Amino acid sequence: QVQFVESGGGSVQPGGSLRLSCTASGSIFSLYDMGWYRQAPGKERELVAFIRSIGTTNYGDSVKGRFTISRDNPKRTMYLQMNSLEPEDTAIYYCRADDGYYYWGRGTQVTVSP
């Protein structure tokens, strides 16, 4: 069964950077459309960034110009480079794979505070 595991979360000051990773096991990673989503306390889960199997990308409006999504298919890993982090970016970040079915990771916490 396919599994996706996030890593790279942590605590950072405003203006700082983090890089999240999502690594797959038990799957043909290159065939999946992949996305990063986040959920802050009391809020609904929202799209952060999306990268298709063919490599095209989309970003949520709040992260455009600050976050970059990428993937390394031989390493079965997707990345989210997050720069200029703001307190509003504090959330649990989840990766999701899509092949007609959705597969979610368990999430990694990102906290941005002075």
Side-chain angles (χ1 to χ4, degrees), residues 34-60:
M34 299 290 298
W36 286 101
Y37 295 76
R38 68 186 181 187
Q39 188 165 19
K43 295 187 177 181
E44 294 186 353
R45 194 171 295 188
E46 64 175 356
L47 172 69
V48 177
F50 192 80
I51 184 166
R52 296 171 184 80
S53 59
I54 60 173
T56 56
T57 59
N58 291 97
Y59 293 90

Side-chain angles (χ1 to χ4, degrees), residues 9-16 18 20 37-46 48 62-63 66-67 80 82-94 108-114:
S11 296
V12 64
Q13 293 184 339
L18 285 172
L20 305 183
Y37 295 76
R38 68 186 181 187
Q39 188 165 19
K43 295 187 177 181
E44 294 186 353
R45 194 171 295 188
E46 64 175 356
V48 177
S62 63
V63 306
R66 300 189 297 125
F67 292 9
L80 184 69
M82 304 187 294
N83 298 328
S84 302
L85 282 161
E86 304 169 351
E88 294 74 21
D89 296 317
T90 295
I92 300 175
Y93 285 69
Y94 299 89
T108 185
Q109 176 71 47
V110 171
T111 302
V112 185
S113 64

